[in-house]
Amino acid sequence: MITPRFSLDQDEKFLLVTIYAPFTSLENTEIFMDGTDFRFFSKPYYLRLHLPGELVESEEASGEYLADSTSFYVKCPKLNVGEHFTGLDMISKLLTPSGETDVTSKVEELESGLENPREQENEDDEEIDWYFSQSIPEEEDTMKITDSTVQYGYGFNFQRTGVFKNLLDDFEQLLDVKQPDTKNHRERTDERIKAEDTSFNSDHYLCDLYETEEINHILSNENCWQALLRTEKKIDNRHELLALTQTEQEQILALPRRFHKLSEEEKLPVFLTLLDLLFGVCYDERINSGESGTESGWCIAKLSPTLSACTKHVSLKKTLTSCARRSLIYPLYRHWDLTVSVWKDVISVLKVGKVAVLKMLLKILSRFSETEGYYILSQLYIQDYAVWVQSVPDSHFDSFSLAVEKTIKGLRKSDVDLELDELEEAAELTLKETQLEAVDKLSSAVNDQLTLDSDDSEDSDSSDDSDSSDDSDDSEDSDSSNSSEDGSDNPESRTGPKSS
């Protein structure tokens, strides 16, 4: 657990507690106040204060989250109105419980027979007061741009450092690189590529290559932006697809109030990161027909080199190939034509303009809010991107889409460095050999059958000849018999009739 930075103030009726907790989930926040005890829990933060005066939890108690400062503001009613709490600036004392605080077990050797079993049972029944170890947090401005952020930064415009250093226990499973705060961008990229090479499954890829029934169905899907571009020669900003829903309006109102002004050098990396964010959500949209799936949050983050490995892209071509690699390694459906189709989906979003881009980013926010732990990625990247795109001219997205479209036309399987061409060629040869073996077996079986049929035919002919010979002999015997019966042995018959 991390002890968050906090500050205390008071008036006649309330103790005012401000807790700085930038990377937390609002849904799982718990606040408790009673007597001199104040507790705040919002993973990964925990704060327990031991106050000099008493509080009471009543209907007047309230709390709110200030998105601008990423802080919680809590109003705690005083039990005795008008009481002045002293020593609120003594932070160490407020974090230290009064009385016995050593929770480590003390081993004490007892003489046999002197311990009363009943007393021991009573001691075991006593409620245990558990304390998390708390320390005063160091003052850290993670938004300040320094030399270290240039080499080690991540988040929107790569302005954050040191975030994962304290949160790895809870969020290490989100990343493909270990301890990103200790690695520069080049080292993270190398580690990411090594992990991708290890994870690539050629059998899965070939299975999707040849068993295409589901893939063909997914490829036939068309997102709403492609349909809009196909039917509208010029996009009408009043089109119903571009209207913000009530949910989207509420999401925008909850975004932090910030203004991002980028230098010319900063614009390209920020746009390239936006590209891989859009690739992840467009892939998820296509395979789920525009609906949210149970693993949508995981899928979007896993396909994005930025979100899964704190990557900083250096060129448009590298961005395309990095996302393409991951789409052929990690998700359920791994097919080159699917990857190209997803990039075309991204191009359609950029061509429609910033409203379409904003809507897709808001979908990522929704998907991440439904997936445990992924809110930290929303706070590091998505929220700021949703704020920033609203100030970007549509002409920038249009020109960006043309650049992506031109680059994707030259994208080849060899660019992703997974030896796909060689793998497919080997599979084709194996398939042909298998087919030839099957043909040989079939031909052999047919020849064997023909031989058997020929033997049967010869046996049949031999039997027919024998039967014919027997029939001839019988016929001759019959003729002889008939001749005898007709008088051939009668003397008269042989000499003719007597003369009178």
Side-chain angles (χ1 to χ4, degrees), residues 198-215:
T198 303
S199 300
F200 178 64
N201 188 318
S202 58
D203 291 339
H204 192 140
Y205 173 78
L206 292 175
C207 180
D208 284 355
L209 180 65
Y210 290 104
E211 297 181 9
T212 58
E213 183 177 354
E214 286 187 79
I215 298 295

Side-chain angles (χ1 to χ4, degrees), residues 8-202:
L8 302 176
D9 200 356
Q10 62 181 317
D11 58 23
E12 291 292 314
K13 296 180 62 177
F14 298 98
L15 174 69
L16 309 174
V17 185
T18 302
I19 303 169
Y20 178 69
F23 306 108
T24 186
S25 175
L26 304 182
E27 299 176 355
N28 300 320
T29 299
E30 299 179 10
I31 298 175
F32 170 83
M33 60 189 80
D34 183 51
T36 60
D37 193 11
F38 173 89
R39 281 177 254 172
F40 167 87
F41 173 75
S42 187
K43 191 176 180 180
Y45 299 102
Y46 175 80
L47 176 66
R48 183 170 189 174
L49 300 178
H50 307 272
L51 303 168
E54 295 188 12
L55 305 175
V56 59
E57 189 168 1
S58 66
E59 294 181 355
E60 293 182 310
S62 64
E64 60 180 324
Y65 182 74
L66 307 177
D68 292 347
S69 59
T70 60
S71 301
F72 290 88
Y73 182 72
V74 186
K75 296 178 68 175
C76 309
K78 294 180 178 179
L79 177 62
N80 302 312
V81 177
E83 180 183 1
H84 180 75
F85 289 3
T86 59
L88 295 183
D89 55 345
M90 301 290 104
I91 295 178
S92 296
K93 185 177 181 180
L94 294 173
L95 294 175
T96 305
S98 58
E100 184 64 57
T101 62
D102 190 355
V103 296
T104 59
S105 61
K106 294 181 178 180
V107 180
E108 184 176 352
E109 186 176 342
L110 300 175
E111 296 181 13
S112 59
L114 296 181
E115 183 69 25
N116 188 327
R118 187 178 299 276
E119 290 180 0
Q120 181 65 36
E121 290 179 4
N122 292 337
E123 289 180 4
D124 291 340
D125 291 338
E126 290 181 2
E127 182 180 353
I128 301 176
D129 191 9
W130 299 102
Y131 289 92
F132 285 102
S133 178
Q134 300 185 105
S135 59
I136 303 173
E138 297 179 359
E139 293 288 337
E140 251 182 49
D141 187 0
T142 58
M143 290 294 293
K144 184 178 180 181
I145 301 178
T146 64
D147 291 340
S148 64
T149 60
V150 174
Q151 294 295 323
Y152 298 89
Y154 44 81
F156 178 79
N157 198 20
F158 309 95
Q159 294 185 349
R160 305 291 184 99
T161 58
V163 174
F164 287 109
K165 179 176 62 177
N166 296 321
L167 304 180
L168 281 179
D169 290 342
D170 296 293
F171 300 105
E172 188 173 13
Q173 72 277 8
L174 301 183
L175 302 176
D176 289 348
V177 297
K178 307 301 180 184
Q179 299 178 341
D181 287 297
T182 65
K183 298 179 176 71
N184 59 35
H185 295 129
R186 179 70 261 172
E187 292 170 331
R188 293 176 201 160
T189 299
D190 292 341
E191 185 174 341
R192 170 177 61 81
I193 292 174
K194 184 178 180 181
E196 291 170 354
D197 290 336
T198 303
S199 300
F200 178 64
N201 188 318
S202 58

Side-chain angles (χ1 to χ4, degrees), residues 229-242:
L229 291 169
R230 191 184 68 252
T231 57
E232 300 287 337
K233 294 182 178 180
K234 185 177 180 180
I235 303 299
D236 185 358
N237 292 330
R238 294 171 295 179
H239 195 281
E240 60 181 0
L241 283 176
L242 300 179

